[in-house]
């Protein structure tokens, strides 16, 4: 299965996403903000199959992370998640880089479905 990086500043949401994805036998790595997520991507040097990141985070937001990830790893699918309407609008400008935007709150089934679709597009 896939190796997925989950970047989310709220620990409960990050853990929920990781557990949900591990139910589908994916391996997950967690990061608490975009800066930490970018460090993980660079350390893993292409070993991450999918980036799932929140948009609104401290240090580096998910959009800046998505731009850096797309630059350094152009074949890696990227999914964004947010609970804020203004952040969804910002994500619309990234349609060529981002596979989808998950709107919080989302269900376990919806998360698993969106991730499955993003991984199948490769």
């Amino acid at each position: 299965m896939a190796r997925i990086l989950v970047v989310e500043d709220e620990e409960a949401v990050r853990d929920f996403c990781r557990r949900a994805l591990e139910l589908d036998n994916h391996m997950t790595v967690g990061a608490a903000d975009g800066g930490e997520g970018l460090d993980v991507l660079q350390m893993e040097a292409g070993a991450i199959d999918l980036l799932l990141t929140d948009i609104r985070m401290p240090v580096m937001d998910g959009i800046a992370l998505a731009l850096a990830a797309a630059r350094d790893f152009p074949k890696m699918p990227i999914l964004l998640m947010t609970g804020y309407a203004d952040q969804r609008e910002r994500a619309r400008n990234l349609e060529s880089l981002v596979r989808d935007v998950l709107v919080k709150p989302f269900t376990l089934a919806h998360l698993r479905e969106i991730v499955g679709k993003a991984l199948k597009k490769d």
Side-chain angles (χ1 to χ4, degrees):
M1 297 314 288
R3 188 166 166 87
I4 301 171
L5 174 58
V6 179
V7 184
E8 166 63 62
D9 59 320
E10 292 183 43
E11 186 176 3
V13 176
R14 184 174 61 245
D15 289 346
F16 169 81
C17 291
R18 291 184 67 188
R19 284 193 312 269
L21 297 171
E22 289 168 359
L23 288 174
D24 289 334
N25 296 315
H26 297 299
M27 294 177 51
T28 66
V29 179
D33 61 59
E36 187 179 320
L38 186 57
D39 288 345
V40 170
L41 286 173
Q42 291 169 343
M43 284 188 301
E44 294 289 333
I48 300 294
D49 300 308
L50 176 87
L51 170 62
L52 172 63
T53 182
D54 189 20
I55 294 176
R56 191 173 187 166
M57 296 180 292
V59 181
M60 173 189 279
D61 72 11
I63 290 181
L65 175 58
L67 291 170
R71 177 196 66 220
D72 296 343
F73 306 100
K75 294 186 188 282
M76 181 182 61
I78 300 169
L79 294 172
L80 299 176
M81 54 185 162
T82 189
Y84 298 94
D86 63 325
Q87 300 302 319
R88 286 193 303 270
E89 288 301 315
R90 287 181 60 209
R92 288 189 204 276
N93 298 329
L94 301 176
E95 289 175 344
S96 64
L97 303 177
V98 174
R99 298 279 170 97
D100 210 338
V101 178
L102 279 143
V103 178
K104 294 177 185 177
F106 49 81
T107 65
L108 174 109
H110 189 229
L111 171 64
R112 293 168 75 192
E113 174 188 348
I114 295 297
V115 166
K117 286 180 183 177
L119 290 169
K120 286 181 183 173
K121 286 188 177 183
D122 287 338

